Amino acid sequence: MIRKIQPLFASLTWAIPLLLLVFSMQSISSAATIDIEPVVYAGHAVDVSILVGGHEQCAIKRKGPDETAAKNASCRLNLSKADDSIEVAGSYSFEDGTKGRRAIRKGRQTIGVVDFEPATRALTRAEAPFGPRVREFMTSARLFASKYKLESFDMEGGKPASSTDIERAQKRLGYPLPPELVSLLTTIGEIRQGDNSMTSVAKINDSYTTMRQDWGTDEADLTDSYSPTMLAFLKSSTLLYTEVGDGLGGLLFRPPPTKACGDEGIYIWTTQEEGTQNLSMDGACPNFERVFRWLVDRFMIERLADEMQENVGAVLIDSSSGIQHLALTTDDGEAFRVTLNRTWGESTLENAQSTGKQGSKK
């Protein structure tokens, strides 16, 4: 059940300048570099121009899914602060199975661009403690959602933990929690997003114990699902966040020193349905701050972006996070219609890779 959310800023004086900040923002808060790559299926072809402010920036010409090396197979452009939309003009074609012939769609479409940077800028301000930055981000994000009438924002804090709470949790584990996590827990408590939530400081334990007690997983199921190596990892790590979906998923943290990341801990995402993803593979050794942003992208911003696309007809970007990779898709309906989407979460940790189902025994 999704909890009723109470405004975090109801009694906080620092919310006033944030309110003025968010509601006075332009669509693009700072210059943004955009990469557009079409999603082209077999039998489909795309031939469009990308325009900004009425001026052509580049063209995309592509036939089929394998033409990735061809000239004009993708497009890179720059948006200034004054730009609030991207135009797509030209044609695309596909095999119309219902009519037994090739269908061609020609047209011109304007897609709004909205920048989430006024909210996320708090997360990038490294000189400030992490907990207060997250609190500022949550307030700004809520105001952003209100401005655009987006109803999917459901991120809230809990009760701030005391230093005694932290000491007891670390004593149970036998090692310290990540300092960014400690700052977060002592500032606003565990984060909740609908049914998803961070582990309460009072329940922090090794991952194996948490899965048995809080997830309700039978010991036989754990033994059957995880390899001996992964079972050992569960017992030497702690579960920091739980996703409630078709099955349960969670963020695991193993403290340093580690063979792969030295003085940084190891972060792994595991689910009952989709297996295990090592977020610290191939030299990518994120701290908790980066992994938290991955969680925010995957479980909060992506939902806002979907709602922005559906209700506002605009693509959501974040100019604070580097090059924006957008996928251009075409519609096989009767009219010319294209969509631009950014996949949130996948590019946050560029080196994150799947390691196979549940640390596979095979």
Side-chain angles (χ1 to χ4, degrees), residues 259-272:
K259 183 177 180 180
C261 293
D263 292 336
E264 293 290 346
I266 295 292
Y267 291 90
I268 284 181
W269 180 259
T270 186
T271 69
Q272 293 176 329

Side-chain angles (χ1 to χ4, degrees), residues 185-221:
L185 291 174
T186 55
T187 302
I188 53 178
E190 67 272 12
I191 298 294
R192 294 186 295 275
Q193 298 170 277
D195 292 334
N196 303 339
S197 65
M198 295 178 63
T199 305
S200 166
V201 67
K203 293 186 175 182
I204 287 178
N205 214 316
D206 68 85
S207 302
Y208 189 90
T209 298
T210 301
M211 287 180 173
R212 291 278 291 112
Q213 295 180 354
D214 292 352
W215 285 19
T217 307
D218 292 336
E219 188 168 11
D221 290 338

Side-chain angles (χ1 to χ4, degrees), residues 270-306:
T270 186
T271 69
Q272 293 176 329
E273 301 295 325
E274 299 177 359
T276 298
Q277 184 180 15
N278 188 343
L279 305 181
S280 302
M281 279 188 71
D282 297 335
C285 296
N287 59 14
F288 178 78
E289 179 176 335
R290 283 187 63 201
V291 174
F292 181 81
R293 177 58 195 266
W294 179 79
L295 289 172
V296 167
D297 280 2
R298 177 169 175 166
F299 296 113
M300 193 272 280
I301 302 181
E302 186 173 79
R303 291 169 60 194
L304 288 179
D306 289 345

Side-chain angles (χ1 to χ4, degrees), residues 37-46 60 62-66 73 328 330:
E37 183 170 347
V39 177
V40 184
Y41 301 104
H44 290 227
V46 175
I60 296 176
R62 191 157 157 187
K63 296 178 180 179
D66 299 325
L328 184 150
T330 56

